Amino acid sequence: RDALNVVVCTRTYNVIVYAAPKPFILPSIDAKCGQPDTGSVGTPINRKGDECLSVCDSTWVTYSTINHAGSTYTWTVTGSTTVIPSVTNSIQVYWTGVGTGLVSVTETNVQGCIGSNSLCVIIVAKPNASFTTMPAASGGTVNACLNQTIQFINTSTIGGGSPFFSYTWVWGDGGMTTLPGNTSGNSTHSYGGSGTYNVMLIVENECHCKDTA
């Protein structure tokens, strides 16, 4: 106090205010079947298109956010999953069942400020690929003559997922045939050389989930 008993300031302090981090989760894979985010974490996550991003069942996905030097990261994953624990800016998740899930991250920066982000996830069913042949297979083998036309009959099912997008026949002789999903998926093929050929059918749905027979 001075002679008039007035308090005199003898020291000042600088106060530095730091912004909280703003993590934003991005997946390594998106099945392109987004649906509106109905507020799994209370409010929409303000992602482009305000979507829950989707992933095919039985798929590994890496979720990541920008890495800032000195920051620490805490991840939380809910839903039917297998998770490789992580304290870095990314985490690996294997989705094991159809339904919904939530991936959340909390970032604490070097100044101790905290920010978080969540991503709604929809796990989409894969199709079930299968086919039969004419002549019919015996013990997993079709016996045919040179240049004989073999009928390959698609018997695949959508498996609870989205409609078919495409059918791709891989003939084992270097050739393949791709048919659109709005067709039967049936095809024919013949072989001009003797030998054993391994034929595969790859089916893909509109969410770009695939299965092979």
Side-chain angles (χ1 to χ4, degrees):
R1 295 176 183 272
D2 61 11
L4 298 177
N5 203 33
V6 176
V7 175
V8 178
C9 181
T10 59
R11 179 176 296 180
T12 61
Y13 292 89
N14 293 323
V15 177
I16 302 175
V17 179
Y18 295 94
K22 296 181 179 180
F24 189 80
I25 300 171
L26 291 174
S28 59
I29 299 172
D30 175 21
K32 307 300 183 184
C33 281
Q35 297 183 15
D37 180 0
T38 55
S40 301
V41 291
T43 58
I45 55 180
N46 297 320
R47 192 165 300 273
K48 181 180 179 181
D50 191 20
E51 293 177 339
C52 292
L53 301 188
S54 54
V55 64
C56 302
D57 181 25
S58 304
T59 302
W60 279 103
V61 183
T62 298
Y63 295 92
S64 60
T65 185
I66 294 175
N67 185 39
H68 296 114
S71 285
T72 60
Y73 301 87
T74 302
W75 292 88
T76 303
V77 181
T78 61
S80 181
T81 63
T82 298
V83 178
I84 298 178
S86 173
V87 293
T88 70
N89 68 309
S90 66
I91 191 168
Q92 291 181 288
V93 179
Y94 184 75
W95 298 101
T96 58
V98 174
T100 59
L102 189 69
V103 179
S104 302
V105 64
T106 298
E107 178 182 354
T108 304
N109 66 17
V110 70
Q111 289 83 25
C113 303
I114 298 173
S116 61
N117 184 234
S118 294
L119 172 60
C120 170
V121 179
I122 298 174
I123 304 94
V124 182
K126 297 195 302 183
N128 297 316
S130 63
F131 65 92
T132 60
T133 62
M134 288 292 292
S138 175
T141 300
V142 176
N143 294 301
C145 300
L146 285 176
N147 300 310
Q148 176 182 348
T149 298
I150 307 169
Q151 297 182 45
F152 293 85
I153 303 163
N154 170 51
T155 57
S156 305
T157 60
I158 61 174
S162 62
F164 289 114
F165 176 76
S166 68
Y167 310 92
T168 299
W169 293 94
V170 182
W171 302 119
D173 58 359
M176 65 175 58
T177 301
T178 298
L179 303 170
N182 59 0
T183 66
S184 67
N186 299 338
S187 190
T188 61
H189 196 69
S190 61
Y191 295 91
S194 59
T196 300
Y197 302 90
N198 294 315
V199 178
M200 293 190 301
L201 171 62
I202 303 170
V203 294
E204 180 178 359
N205 65 20
E206 291 181 353
C207 291
H208 303 293
C209 302
K210 298 179 182 181
D211 192 36
T212 301

